[in-house]
Amino acid sequence: MSLPTEPRKLIIDCDPGIDDAVAVTMALFDPRLEVVAVTAAAGNVGAEQATANLQALVACLDPPRLPRIGVAATDAALPARPYSMHGADGLGGIDLPRVPLHGGHASEKVIWEAIKAHPRQLTILALGPLTNVSRVLKRDPGIAELIGAVVICGGTAQGLGNATPVADFNFFSDPAAARHVLAEPITKTLVPLETTGQVVYDLDFLERLPREFTRAGRLLRPMLAHAFRAHRQLLGCEGIRLHDVAALVAATDPDLFERETVAADVETTGDLTAGMLVIDRRRNRVWRPNADLLVACDAVGVRDRVLKGLTAAGEAT
Ligand code: RIB
Ligand code: CA
């Protein structure tokens, strides 16, 4: 009989956003994880809204182990969002009760302190622009060797973007931060759009969510109903994609994904290509390998894993 393994220590850096919020909900009730901190970044919504959403989310879910909460930097220069799949408030207009944040330390400080408290044990799951992760590394270059791993929702494996024709939203929002993190000597896993986009949820998924009388259900059902409306109205799709949720599953269930070691970089200045993940696929590659790229996934397996995780969140709330 195998001994129970220690829960994996995780920091979730995110820009909630509906898919971010679903991933946080799953993670907070996954017994395989210890969510040490959840930190806000501007991206899908502005900095203040991202922080407020994260606080409200954690307060509503009231998980058995409360994570530290990081406050998004308000000075991050982000491009205007062409449209929002997440609604004006970033959570599909579910209007969660707002809660005051006691203390309220900057996300980069919370991340730095968590890494110092748990050297080489922490995985950073980056679900938004990499602004905070880049700032932690700039604040203390020596911290890189204390980070266990970084799993990044972002980039494109074949240049099929969402924010632009060739860039995903997270890399497009802060290309310099993405380029900086990718260049750091850290174990990095990239979960690109083409792979997270393989997992599509239909309306049956909505029916299988936790019931409204659970705290998780009260949150998930209206939020994801908005996601279905937004995908239909803005993208003309009947199904929805939850990119950040697939990235969480990549961290918890890596066997559901196929990976390649790649030598990659990020374009930061191109008018047409800013934020594009560029991979050296030359036969006689010159660039040095610096990341694992998840090039495909078992979409049915990921979807099942997501339903199990959300059902567990419902049962616990
Ligand atoms: O491109 C993927 C990202 O775009 C996700 O993090 C999602 O939140 C959206 O902002
Ligand atoms: Ca996100």
Side-chain angles (χ1 to χ4, degrees):
M1 180 182 79
S2 61
L3 293 173
T5 52
E6 275 286 299
R8 182 171 181 181
K9 293 187 189 325
L10 197 66
I11 295 174
I12 303 178
D13 188 60
C14 58
D15 59 331
I18 292 174
D19 57 337
D20 305 72
V22 176
V24 169
T25 302
M26 275 178 66
L28 288 174
F29 295 95
D30 187 330
R32 303 170 298 173
L33 300 175
E34 178 189 343
V35 184
V36 170
V38 288
T39 53
N44 286 318
V45 288
E48 291 87 354
Q49 186 72 56
T51 303
N53 285 352
L54 202 48
Q55 294 164 9
L57 196 60
V58 172
C60 168
L61 292 167
D62 191 21
R65 289 187 308 261
L66 277 173
R68 285 193 71 191
I69 296 177
V71 174
T74 54
D75 61 348
L78 292 168
R81 285 178 298 282
Y83 57 84
S84 171
M85 297 290 291
H86 306 269
D89 71 343
L91 297 180
I94 61 170
D95 205 16
L96 284 178
R98 295 294 144 185
V99 292
L101 179 67
H102 305 295
H105 295 286
S107 291
E108 58 188 271
K109 179 174 185 291
V110 170
I111 295 171
W112 184 83
E113 288 174 347
I115 295 166
K116 296 294 272 186
H118 307 284
R120 299 181 184 81
Q121 303 164 53
L122 267 169
T123 296
I124 299 174
L125 177 64
L127 303 180
L130 286 164
T131 312
N132 292 331
V133 180
S134 174
R135 288 188 177 190
V136 170
L137 292 159
K138 282 181 181 161
R139 167 198 184 117
D140 174 2
I143 199 82
E145 64 158 353
L146 300 182
I147 298 174
V150 183
V151 176
I152 299 166
C153 178
T156 56
Q158 284 97 26
L160 300 176
N162 55 1
T164 74
V166 294
D168 104 279
F169 180 81
N170 290 338
F171 281 24
F172 176 67
S173 294
D174 195 340
R179 183 173 208 199
H180 173 213
V181 173
L182 212 52
E184 285 286 327
I186 309 169
T187 302
K188 294 173 281 291
T189 299
L190 293 176
V191 201
L193 218 50
E194 297 91 338
T195 301
T196 56
Q198 280 182 252
V199 191
V200 181
Y201 304 85
D202 60 20
L203 279 169
D204 169 60
F205 172 72
L206 209 49
E207 275 320 299
R208 296 175 65 187
L209 290 172
R211 307 306 304 171
E212 288 86 347
F213 59 78
T214 67
R215 296 196 304 277
R218 250 196 322 275
L219 187 78
L220 292 167
R221 285 179 171 265
M223 216 164 47
L224 288 163
H226 172 95
F228 276 95
R229 287 193 300 276
H231 274 73
R232 190 180 313 117
Q233 290 158 10
L234 297 172
L235 302 180
C237 302
E238 284 312 309
I240 64 170
R241 287 174 170 82
L242 299 169
H243 298 289
D244 292 334
V245 177
L248 168 66
V249 177
T252 57
D253 299 84
D255 297 347
L256 294 174
F257 294 77
E258 278 173 53
R259 63 189 60 227
E260 280 172 18
T261 298
V262 294
D265 201 340
V266 179
E267 174 58 73
T268 55
T269 57
D271 290 343
L272 301 177
T273 54
M276 179 176 184
L277 180 70
V278 181
I279 296 169
D280 186 353
R281 290 194 166 101
R282 292 172 285 186
R283 187 186 302 277
N284 54 342
R285 179 170 65 191
V286 175
W287 294 358
R288 287 185 52 230
N290 60 349
D292 273 358
L293 182 72
L294 302 189
V295 292
C297 75
D298 166 1
V300 173
V302 172
R303 210 170 25 241
D304 289 350
R305 180 66 240 161
V306 170
L307 270 169
K308 279 199 191 89
L310 294 177
T311 301
E315 285 162 357
T317 58

